[in-house]
Each structure stands twice: as C-alpha cells, then as structure tokens.
Amino acid sequence: MTDEIFMREALKLARNAEGRTSPNPLVGAVVVKDGRIIAQGWHRKAGTPHAEIHALNMAGELAKGATLYVTLEPCSHFGRTPPCARAIVDAGIKKVFAAMKDPNPKVAGRGFEILQSAGVEVEVGLLEEEAQKLNEIFIKWVTKNLPFITMKFACSIDGKIATVAGESQWISCEASRKFTHHLRDINDAILVGVGTVLADNPSLTTRLVEGKNPVRVIVDSNARTPLDSKVLDKSARTIIATTSNAPPEKISALKNCGVEIIFAGGGERVDLKILMQALAEREITSVLVEGGGTINFSLLRAGLVDKVLAFVAPKIIGGKNSLTAVEGAGFEKLSDAVTLKNITVQNFGEDILIGGYV
C-alpha cells in the first residue's frame, strides 16, 4: 500500500507539465529512503532533463541505496538528453518501481535491461492503468504514428449546435467555455473545417493567463479561407490542409500570409488519414476537434477519433434544419453507430459534460 502512495505522488507530479512535454511523455519520479520521500521531479519540456534526473539531482548523495518510483520506464538511449537508466545506476539507486514499460517498440524494455544488468532491482506494473491513461496521447503517437484526437462540441439537450438561423454563441455556459480554453492549452493542435472559419471567423486561441496557443489546423479542400480571417493572424501557427485541386493562386496567397500548406489527397475532399499522418510527422501528438457536423462525421466514419467530449446545455432549440453536432451522411444501422465507453459525467455550471472513448 505504501508503494502505491509513492507512485501516486509520481503520477501527480507528472501532471504538472500537462500539455507542455510534447512530443515526449508526461513523467514523474520520487526518490524514497527510510520510508519517506527525499527528492522528486517531473519532466517539464522536450529537450530538458527528464523526471528521474531532476529527482536524482535533488537527492544528491542520499540517492545511494534509495528506491526510485517513476511513472514510465527510464530511457535507455541518447536523444535530446542522455539516457536516464545509466544515471540511475551511477546514482546508486538499489530498486526501481516503474508503472509501465516504454510503449515505443524501438526502446521498450532496454531501460530495464540496463538497470537489471547493473544489479538494480526492478518492479514493473504498479498503477499501470493510471500511467497508461496519463500518457494516452504519447502511447498512440509513438505506436501508431497518429495524433490522439479528441472531438469536443457543445450542444443543446436536443443535440443542436446552432439555431435554424445559424446562431451558436453561446449554447454552453461560461464555465464550459473556460474549460474549453484549458483543452486548447493542453492539446498540440486545434482543428476545424473551413465552414467554421467562414461562419464564425474564430481566433482558435487560448484565453488563459500563461496559456499556450495550439497549432491551428483548417481543413479547406478548395483553399477558401479568407485572407483577413483571424486564424491567419500571427498569434499562433496555422496549417491549412487542402487538396491538389485547390486553385494555385489561392495557395500562393495563403503561403504569403505565413500559412503552412499540407496537401492531403487529390480528390474533392481532404483525406483525413493522410492529414493526421502528416501532423504526426510534424510531432503534433494531440488534436482537439472543434469543427461542425460535417467534419465531425467524417472523422468518426474514418475511425480517427479517440475521445468525445460533449457539453450538453439545458436548452431546447428545435428546428428540423438546425445544425447538429454530427451530420454528414450518417450511419444507416444502429449497429454501425459509434458507441462510447468508459463514460464520465461532470457538471460545469448549468451544463453537463459527457466524456467517453471511441
């Protein structure tokens, strides 16, 4: 039971850097000696020391003979920083509890091999499920070469995201909108379709003190994004995903605005799978989708969505032609419908947030 307490502290520490370590995982570590924590650390940003190094530096000579609790297998290779497994051995740690193995198939298990070959006792799997959830984004990116995709929308209790006249501000309450900015802050990118840009002219930035603006990704098959759109300002990086059918003069004009262009397919529509692969190659590990019903259905149909967050407001809008959260062609059979699992329900002001995994 005491071991769990120490590992939970390591997991808690790791969350301090949520949204800041990409493309690296979130990692926390604590050094324990004589039944008490003597040092701790967490990974803060890619290219900076890992959690174990922060903890070992804090422990100093006291690390000799101590136990290390870490949320992920210590790295075994030289990347942006030296390998942690060797540093643990050199510090004189006698035992390591690791919540999970490194999911990267190229390195998984090698860190443990270094430790064990040097006589360090290793125990793996303590609070493994919690550790996997902590790093669900990193796990998908490093194993499937795709970003983790969260689809978020706000709707009325009858499923509408706008009135028949197109009015959508604001269906959700202030507390829900504030949490949305937190979601933008912790995701690498935010994605919408060009229809959202044309209808709402959003900024797609984070309105939080010390918040981090995500990369803005616009799905725009024919390069229709207006040059005076807010998403083309200099407050954040912008990527426009389009096709080879888009008019060259429009592509050129967008590039002149500082926009990065990704050509994803040559058909009438952007190939979303190609787009996601291209984003992953750019070390974009997580995408928050705040698009309309068309892009939402396209992503669901393509099997690209990992998680859904639906803010449901206690409003009834009605209207056969009012916009809904998921439109497109729809699924013909209930057996084909997307079913969520591991459901969570939270209150945000007067709204209810329903979350689940696809």
Side-chain angles (χ1 to χ4, degrees), residues 257-290:
C257 292
V259 170
E260 181 180 353
I261 302 293
I262 292 178
F263 290 99
E268 294 183 359
R269 295 184 177 277
V270 168
D271 187 314
L272 295 172
K273 181 70 176 289
I274 292 176
L275 170 59
M276 294 306 161
Q277 290 170 338
L279 294 179
E281 289 171 359
R282 287 160 173 78
E283 295 190 340
I284 292 175
T285 65
S286 57
V287 177
L288 177 67
V289 178
E290 289 193 36

Side-chain angles (χ1 to χ4, degrees), residues 187-205:
N187 278 273
D188 290 347
I190 179 171
L191 181 147
V192 300
V194 68
T196 297
V197 174
L198 294 172
D200 301 333
N201 192 23
S203 297
L204 304 181
T205 52

Side-chain angles (χ1 to χ4, degrees), residues 26-350:
L26 293 165
V27 184
V30 297
V31 179
V32 175
K33 198 167 190 178
D34 298 327
R36 64 185 185 89
I37 295 175
I38 61 170
Q40 61 186 31
W42 66 91
H43 183 42
R44 289 162 169 78
K45 184 180 180 181
T48 66
H50 291 184
E52 302 95 313
I53 303 304
H54 283 297
L56 292 175
N57 287 343
M58 182 183 232
E61 289 296 316
L62 292 175
K64 291 181 179 179
T67 300
L68 175 71
Y69 295 78
V70 62
T71 58
L72 183 69
E73 175 184 356
C75 65
S76 59
H77 60 290
F78 281 89
R80 291 176 171 133
T81 58
C84 292
R86 180 53 55 190
I88 292 168
V89 171
D90 293 342
I93 293 289
K94 70 172 184 178
K95 184 173 183 177
V96 171
F97 283 89
M100 61 178 286
K101 181 188 289 188
D102 189 330
N104 188 340
K106 296 179 181 178
V107 298
R110 293 182 184 176
F112 295 143
E113 290 174 5
I114 291 173
L115 295 173
Q116 291 171 324
S117 64
V120 179
E121 187 180 350
V122 175
E123 189 166 322
V124 186
L126 180 63
L127 301 183
E128 183 175 20
E129 188 174 332
E130 288 91 332
Q132 289 174 340
K133 182 171 176 54
L134 172 73
N135 274 311
E136 60 189 9
I137 290 171
F138 175 74
I139 291 171
K140 184 183 181 186
W141 178 72
V142 80
T143 60
K144 297 186 177 180
N145 298 314
L146 289 170
F148 187 94
I149 300 179
T150 301
M151 177 181 293
K152 170 263 166 188
F153 56 82
C155 65
S156 62
I157 205 167
D158 56 338
K160 308 296 184 180
I161 61 171
T163 68
V164 69
E167 184 181 346
S168 61
Q169 296 181 345
W170 296 103
I171 289 177
S172 58
C173 69
E174 184 177 350
S176 297
R177 297 197 297 274
K178 183 176 181 180
F179 186 71
T180 293
H181 287 290
H182 166 70
L183 293 173
R184 292 181 181 183
D185 175 59
I186 64 173
N187 278 273
D188 290 347
I190 179 171
L191 181 147
V192 300
V194 68
T196 297
V197 174
L198 294 172
D200 301 333
N201 192 23
S203 297
L204 304 181
T205 52
T206 304
R207 295 165 184 78
L208 296 178
V209 177
E210 298 184 359
K212 172 181 65 67
N213 286 332
V215 176
R216 299 175 292 201
V217 180
I218 316 301
V219 179
D220 185 0
S221 301
N222 294 302
R224 293 188 293 149
T225 300
L227 299 182
D228 60 351
S229 300
K230 292 178 182 178
V231 293
L232 300 189
D233 64 22
K234 305 301 182 183
S235 60
R237 175 183 167 195
T238 299
I239 295 173
I240 289 186
T242 189
T243 69
S244 57
N245 290 338
E249 65 276 10
K250 291 187 176 181
I251 295 297
S252 180
L254 288 168
K255 284 183 176 179
N256 288 336
C257 292
V259 170
E260 181 180 353
I261 302 293
I262 292 178
F263 290 99
E268 294 183 359
R269 295 184 177 277
V270 168
D271 187 314
L272 295 172
K273 181 70 176 289
I274 292 176
L275 170 59
M276 294 306 161
Q277 290 170 338
L279 294 179
E281 289 171 359
R282 287 160 173 78
E283 295 190 340
I284 292 175
T285 65
S286 57
V287 177
L288 177 67
V289 178
E290 289 193 36
T294 300
I295 193 76
N296 285 349
F297 177 72
S298 296
L299 287 163
L300 287 167
R301 182 174 57 184
L304 293 169
V305 179
D306 297 286
K307 189 175 184 178
V308 175
L309 295 175
F311 290 93
V312 181
K315 298 178 173 72
I316 299 175
I317 294 175
K320 182 173 65 174
N321 296 320
S322 299
L323 299 177
T324 59
V326 181
E327 296 178 338
F331 298 107
E332 293 185 2
K333 300 178 181 178
L334 278 176
S335 58
D336 294 331
V338 175
T339 302
L340 303 182
K341 60 183 180 181
N342 299 331
I343 303 298
T344 59
V345 179
Q346 297 174 260
N347 285 96
F348 282 88
E350 61 188 21

